[in-house]
Amino acid sequence: MMQEKDEGSDARVIDLEPDSEFRFEVDFKTQIQIKILKGTAEIFGTELAEGVEYSFSGRKAAVYTWHGCSLEARGTFLVEYTANETPMTSYLNTHLAIQQLRSTAKASNELGPRVLVIGPHDVGKTSLCKIMASYAFRQGEKPLYVSLDTAEGSITMPGAVTATAISHLIDIEEGFGSSATTAASMGSTTMPLAYYYGYESPSENVKMYKLVVSRLARTVKSRLAADPESRTSGIIIDTSGLIDPIGYELIQHAIDEFSVNVVVVLGHERLYSDMTKIYKDQNNISIVKLNKSGGVVERDKQFKIQLQRSKIQEYFYGTSKCELSPYSMLVNFNDINVWRVGEAIAPSSALPIGMESKDNETEVVKVDSYDMCLHSIMAILNADDSEHDNKLLESSVVGFIYISDVNEDKKKMTVLSPSPGRLPRRHVLMGAFKWMET
Ligand code: ADP
Ligand code: MG
């Protein structure tokens, strides 16, 4: 994707007092630059290096400083202002309390804290998770970062639930840098752990969502058991922001599956109060309430769609900082098995008594209409060729492909893949995500 540099917009120097931040928003079509001239500053917990110019596009974020700094900003911002009131001290204190739990875990070689961050949409959950992960990393910890937010796809692709070990600094410009860690290493052990759900909202297929979350939790736990470094650092879990009755059910499900012992409720009194009530008899679970930052911005539907698109684009093509060249290839219909999750076709009234139309919510059906595949994103499943149909959904994801063309006559599909050569596995799962290359 080409991004224009804005000419003619002069560089400005902005001085930040201790414990304040510079908040900004920049459009997807423009690029802005920020450079720290003096002092120290961080973006969502990751420190900016002095004198280095960072570029941003399609971002809403804040440069925060604990001790004061002076920065240079260049380019056209949609929004830019300085704020002296931030919840950063309370976020740091929460991190320090969690860090205390890690020390206790280390002393007895136990499992470190399992922290779940919940709250409505757009209250800063993902930002807080990044801050806590960065602070942990800066103190020598290696926590596992789990994202249960299928709309955002912060670690790999929208539609997936994922886990990755925080073993390096979160990139200032690219966040988790899905391009660098995912696409380039399809099938390798450094690919983040992912299970494919395939829809944006967990409420579209609750049963399947729970199934992939359970699978992810099981694998995360066994990874923790095998990795002494991560084990005592524990898990930080980001969630999707559903707080309706289905959301409550899913929060409790996640708490059970990941054996969560710290629940951080962000920006919602009622949710905090409800959680305190639900878990009042379980004194091994602490519920913590934090305020949302005044800087958090609501992202409209359009912004979220653009964010998803740029995530998909990034998966295949990388970013301007780390470009990738995906491979386009022809695949015979016979060499690939495309599955999707069955939907209730018949209304309950048309079914035999006792059978519910929801029964196939977690059953896969083979996709024979190849036209349906056109422009779809598909997850390559880590399943043997002979794998039983019903086990497929429990398979983790090896990588993702995109179907750019379908030729029914020749019985071939054109597939975009991050790796060359044959597809590593033949079973692929199709979700609801479509994409058009731009
Ligand atoms: P949630 O995960 O709860 O939906 P996010 O953490 O993604 O919320 O925050 C919503 C948006 O606000 C994101 O684009 C994020 O980068 C931005 N944001 C968060 N904190 C700040 C802040 N202090 N200043 C400016 N923007 C922020
Ligand atoms: Mg989020």
Side-chain angles (χ1 to χ4, degrees):
M1 210 191 302
M2 287 296 289
Q3 265 137 4
E4 300 152 29
K5 276 216 169 175
D6 290 279
E7 308 292 344
S9 41
D10 298 325
R12 294 142 283 149
V13 174
I14 296 155
D15 289 311
L16 291 180
E17 283 167 27
D19 186 25
S20 69
E21 66 188 18
F22 171 66
R23 294 172 181 163
F24 65 91
E25 291 183 34
V26 45
D27 197 62
F28 279 92
K29 290 191 282 294
T30 47
Q31 215 174 49
I32 59 97
Q33 283 80 34
I34 288 174
K35 182 160 82 182
I36 301 299
L37 303 172
K38 210 172 81 213
T40 54
E42 58 189 46
I43 291 186
F44 302 138
T46 308
E47 268 187 295
L48 286 91
E50 196 179 304
V52 174
E53 192 168 77
Y54 296 95
S55 297
F56 301 93
S57 175
R59 278 284 286 267
K60 304 171 190 288
V63 179
Y64 175 82
T65 178
W66 288 102
H67 306 293
C69 75
S70 149
L71 63 86
E72 184 188 275
R74 282 200 299 129
T76 315
F77 293 73
L78 283 178
V79 175
E80 56 173 308
Y81 66 99
T82 307
N84 290 315
E85 241 172 79
T86 78
M88 286 300 284
T89 304
S90 64
Y91 293 1
L92 175 64
N93 286 336
T94 307
H95 158 72
L96 292 173
I98 292 166
Q99 195 58 24
Q100 196 58 49
L101 296 175
R102 294 190 179 110
S103 305
T104 315
K106 270 194 195 83
S108 52
N109 200 23
E110 279 169 3
L111 196 58
R114 285 82 61 203
V115 182
L116 182 79
V117 177
I118 58 172
H121 292 289
D122 297 328
V123 289
K125 296 182 299 300
T126 304
S127 308
L128 175 63
C129 287
K130 283 185 188 159
I131 291 170
M132 292 197 297
S134 295
Y135 286 179
F137 178 78
R138 282 160 66 174
Q139 289 199 263
E141 302 289 341
K142 195 181 147 195
L144 285 188
Y145 188 103
V146 171
S147 173
L148 303 182
D149 184 354
T150 44
E152 188 154 316
S154 51
I155 300 176
T156 50
M157 271 281 187
V161 293
T162 51
T164 189
I166 302 294
S167 53
H168 54 266
L169 225 58
I170 299 174
D171 194 281
I172 291 280
E173 290 163 326
E174 300 185 353
F176 289 100
S178 63
S179 51
T181 54
T182 318
S185 56
M186 177 147 108
S188 86
T189 48
T190 53
M191 148 105 191
L193 182 62
Y195 290 88
Y196 199 51
Y197 166 65
Y199 303 91
E200 192 178 299
S201 167
S203 55
E204 281 173 79
N205 185 340
V206 175
K207 207 168 151 190
M208 176 167 175
Y209 181 81
K210 280 181 163 176
L211 183 113
V212 292
V213 168
S214 299
R215 283 299 316 189
L216 179 70
R218 208 156 96 191
T219 316
V220 160
K221 281 179 169 173
S222 65
R223 285 211 177 170
L224 278 187
D227 182 349
E229 257 187 289
S230 289
R231 184 169 66 228
T232 51
S233 294
I235 323 176
I236 296 169
I237 310 165
D238 188 16
T239 59
S240 74
L242 270 190
I243 54 161
D244 58 2
I246 290 175
Y248 274 48
E249 183 186 329
L250 295 176
I251 289 168
Q252 291 176 68
H253 178 252
I255 292 175
D256 290 345
E257 295 294 295
F258 286 93
S259 312
V260 167
N261 62 349
V262 180
V263 180
V264 177
V265 186
L266 198 53
H268 204 273
E269 290 286 341
R270 158 97 193 276
L271 181 62
Y272 170 72
S273 151
D274 288 344
M275 285 299 132
T276 329
K277 272 180 217 144
I278 294 172
Y279 292 102
K280 70 174 183 308
D281 295 326
Q282 273 162 275
N283 42 27
N284 56 331
I285 300 181
S286 329
I287 320 273
V288 182
K289 181 174 72 175
L290 288 175
N291 289 330
K292 87 173 201 193
S293 163
V296 175
V297 267
E298 223 173 281
R299 294 161 299 172
D300 57 20
K301 187 77 197 152
Q302 195 53 35
F303 185 85
K304 286 185 180 176
I305 290 171
Q306 269 182 309
L307 209 58
Q308 280 175 357
R309 275 195 210 136
S310 67
K311 272 284 157 195
I312 297 172
Q313 166 92 20
E314 236 176 65
Y315 179 84
F316 293 108
Y317 291 96
T319 56
S320 53
K321 211 166 123 188
C322 169
E323 284 183 27
L324 300 170
S325 333
Y327 301 84
S328 187
M329 54 199 177
L330 282 176
V331 175
N332 290 319
F333 284 178
N334 291 335
D335 293 337
I336 187 169
N337 288 353
V338 180
W339 303 91
R340 67 184 177 87
V341 172
E343 281 133 32
I345 312 143
S348 299
S349 59
L351 291 168
I353 289 170
M355 194 173 150
E356 278 185 46
S357 61
K358 293 252 160 164
D359 275 359
N360 49 7
E361 273 185 318
T362 52
E363 255 165 47
V364 289
V365 287
K366 193 128 185 258
V367 178
D368 288 321
S369 143
Y370 288 89
D371 272 342
M372 252 178 92
C373 301
L374 188 62
H375 298 145
S376 275
I377 296 292
M378 300 191 183
I380 306 175
L381 300 174
N382 190 12
D384 292 336
D385 291 358
S386 60
E387 196 67 87
H388 191 270
D389 301 0
N390 290 332
K391 280 275 177 244
L392 288 174
L393 290 184
E394 300 189 15
S395 308
S396 62
V397 175
V398 184
F400 294 91
I401 53 170
Y402 166 66
I403 311 298
S404 60
D405 195 24
V406 178
N407 189 329
E408 291 263 30
D409 296 336
K410 292 196 174 134
K411 304 222 169 300
K412 280 179 195 300
M413 296 198 275
T414 310
V415 165
L416 190 71
S417 161
S419 313
R422 280 183 53 208
L423 296 180
R425 292 277 195 268
R426 66 176 297 136
H427 292 297
V428 302
L429 182 62
M430 183 172 119
F433 289 92
K434 297 265 180 188
W435 183 57
M436 292 288 249
E437 270 183 89
T438 44

